[in-house]
Amino acid sequence: MTTVPVRGAAGVVTVPARRTNPLRAALAAEARAEAAVKSFLERWSIPALRVALGLVFLVFGALKFIPGLSPIEALVARTWNALSFGIVTGYPALALTAAMETLVGVLLVIGVFQRFALALLAVTFVGILSPLVFFTGDLFTPGPTLTAQYILKDVVLVTAALVVASRALRAAPRDN
């Protein structure tokens, strides 16, 4: 036992030195590390998700500008045909989808006009998910086709957009 001399009213008294409990020190270090990770995640996870979501839409939107590159060109044209009652079909439907997705992607990646980008993204999600309603028989024969799986994975993108929107739509702090 280590002792430390202390002067008091009774003269020199020997008091045991404080030993640090290794478990308590490890728990304190773990708590500090967890707080640092939490702080990092609170600051950067949603912006990273916003950029990742933007990149997905930028790339898939850009593919649609070039005929023959997107694997869902025919589905996009059929969907626009159904949604617009035959007014928008063929390449104009593909180009309009490409423009919307690419614009959403660019705006999300650079982080400007996020509210507009998210509103436009909501409109694109209507088009993205509507084949599940319009063409159910074609997409599930009897199980989900590859195209149906391609569409169903967009549920993750919708959820990511909701998380990004939760940050973009929260009120700005007021200075008093």
Side-chain angles (χ1 to χ4, degrees), residues 1-8 10-17:
M1 173 186 327
T2 306
T3 58
V4 177
V6 176
R7 293 198 183 267
V12 176
V13 179
T14 303
V15 179

Side-chain angles (χ1 to χ4, degrees), residues 14 59 61 69 71 134:
T14 303
V59 169
L69 278 186
F134 291 134

Side-chain angles (χ1 to χ4, degrees), residues 130-147:
S130 62
L132 294 173
V133 175
F134 291 134
F135 314 121
T136 306
D138 297 339
L139 297 174
F140 297 92
T141 58
T145 64
L146 190 57
T147 305

Side-chain angles (χ1 to χ4, degrees), residues 45-112:
S45 62
I46 295 178
L49 184 61
R50 175 183 49 79
V51 170
L53 184 63
L55 287 173
V56 167
F57 275 88
L58 178 61
V59 169
F60 282 103
L63 284 177
K64 290 176 183 77
F65 278 119
I66 305 166
L69 278 186
S70 176
I72 59 163
E73 286 180 11
L75 182 62
V76 170
R78 280 181 69 197
T79 302
W80 271 101
N81 187 42
L83 286 172
S84 69
F85 304 103
I87 296 171
V88 181
T89 60
Y91 185 76
L94 199 60
L96 189 56
T97 301
M100 290 169 58
E101 290 182 0
T102 303
L103 179 60
V104 165
V106 168
L107 294 177
L108 288 176
V109 167
I110 62 177
V112 299

Side-chain angles (χ1 to χ4, degrees), residues 1 9 16-17 24 35 38 62 64 68 79 107 113-114 125 128 135 152 157 161-162 164 173:
M1 173 186 327
R24 187 170 280 155
K38 180 179 179 267
K64 290 176 183 77
T79 302
L107 294 177
F113 304 115
Q114 287 186 53
F125 279 136
I128 289 169
F135 314 121
L152 288 171
L157 298 179
L162 292 173
V164 171

